[in-house]
Amino acid sequence: MTAGIDAIDRIVEADTRRLIEVFKDLHRNPELGFQEVRTARTVAQALGDLGFTVTTGIGGTGVVAVLANGPGPVVMYRADMDALAVPEATGLDYASSNPALGHMCGHDAHVTWMLGLAKVLAETTDSWSGTAVLIGQPAEELIGGAQAMVDGGLYDVAPRPDAFLAMHTAPVPVGMVAAVGGERMAGTDQLDIVFHGVGGHGSMPQLACDPVLMAAEAVVQFQSIVSRAVTPGETAVLTVGSIQAGSAYNVIPDRALLKVNLRWFRPEVRETMLTRIRAICAGIARGYGMPEDRMPEITLGGGATPLVNDPALTDRVAGALGDLLGPDNVVRQLPALTGSEDCHLLKGPYADIPLAYLLVGVADPRVYAKSANKGRLFPYIPHSPDYVVDLSAIPLGTRIAARVMLELLTVSRF
């Protein structure tokens, strides 16, 4: 018999003060992808204290915790742990202690929800049966952590799941959840593009070959790819997020780096963008007289395919959340987003594992309403310096995670 909503509410209410302090501590101490040493230690300690079998160092800083509780389904739950190189500007009294980094995407809430969920599971073992696998994943922002965990031996220490759950904050009112089946998020690629040139004195550019100018021309020409090479009606996004070159006013450097991000849903669109990027970069370099052995170097870094929710699993999850939140607070239809994730790569060799990926509201309803009255879609967006997870979302997000996990850890329902 699955633990009821009353039992979940009782446990989470008693745990709320601790959870909020955990959240504030994580928020004050952000860590970038593959550097989540302190965060991983917090996760491992908390889960170990609850009786989970914990393995650390999977994929670098990844944490895998397993709680076996008799026969039944294996359900995996993922929380990503990394922060961003985005300075925080919220003014919160528990704001980031690092002026260069911030949890401006809510991963601190994700970790806290998982730790609260773990306590519910540990205290309700008489009402569920099966195996819970909790994942503290590094480097989601780099779109590299999930694959690193698979490559690093995830399935040497964890059983193959029957179902897979993940949740992400969304800047909509606390109490709202989106549980929508089908294609949900775009595929993505991260590209490093290095233009080689000939360095020299800024006063004598004719004796140099300026890679900064080459990179600048590439940024402009890239803008024609989506508008002129991709079929109208297809979804594609190309963003240059960083240009890095030189360090002095009067020195032409010998290299320039572009960091480029792609979003797509169809592999053909991805290939079109990559082909045109290669052609534009090579054409620019040749136009500046660079020899063939000094052509731009294009390196693909992290990447992920589109995220697809299993319709049947998502329907089941939505039904359980309707009981918890009320059906009107569970969004069942929503356009696919051009944001991207890599959590589904945790499936590794088991591509058929059904996934339900939920978007959980974390905005103060009053702040959201005030913003909506001004015609704004959201009061703030992920990755912005003012992104805020309202503290009321901490216990509620925990209740949501616990309700869904306990729904799936029911032998008779799988």
Side-chain angles (χ1 to χ4, degrees), residues 1 4 22 39 102 104-105 108 143 163 166 171 180 191 197 205 210 222 236 242 254 259 296 326 348 360 363 396:
M1 185 71 177
V22 168
T39 305
M104 313 318 297
C105 198
D108 44 357
I143 309 293
V180 184
L191 282 69
D210 193 343
F222 288 167
S242 175
D254 64 358
K259 290 185 172 291
V360 179
L396 185 55

Side-chain angles (χ1 to χ4, degrees), residues 30-33 82-87 100-107 141 382-384:
E31 296 172 301
L32 294 176
D82 55 326
L84 291 156
V86 175
L101 308 181
H103 266 297
M104 313 318 297
C105 198
H107 295 189
E141 297 294 356
H383 296 203
S384 65

Side-chain angles (χ1 to χ4, degrees), residues 40-41 43-45 53-65 136 149 152 157:
R41 185 168 59 243
V43 170
Q45 181 68 53
T53 300
V54 177
T55 306
T56 59
I58 302 296
T61 47
V63 180
V64 180
M149 290 194 74
V157 298

Side-chain angles (χ1 to χ4, degrees), residues 1-5 8 127-128 403 406-410 413:
M1 185 71 177
T2 304
I5 293 172
I8 295 171
S127 60
W128 62 272
R403 179 68 185 91
L406 288 170
E407 163 68 18
L408 298 182
L409 286 166
T410 306
R413 296 290 300 279

Side-chain angles (χ1 to χ4, degrees), residues 209-233:
C209 190
D210 193 343
V212 178
L213 191 53
M214 292 185 223
E217 289 193 16
V219 172
V220 174
Q221 290 190 38
F222 288 167
Q223 308 314 304
S224 69
I225 294 175
V226 174
S227 66
R228 289 296 179 267
V230 175
T231 302

Side-chain angles (χ1 to χ4, degrees), residues 299-321:
T299 304
L300 271 71
T305 54
L307 183 148
V308 181
N309 270 347
D310 179 81
L313 181 64
T314 306
D315 285 348
R316 182 174 169 188
V317 165
L321 291 177

Side-chain angles (χ1 to χ4, degrees), residues 275-290:
T275 298
R276 291 300 293 267
I277 286 170
R278 294 185 184 106
I280 286 171
C281 291
I284 290 171
R286 290 190 179 102
Y288 277 80
M290 296 304 297

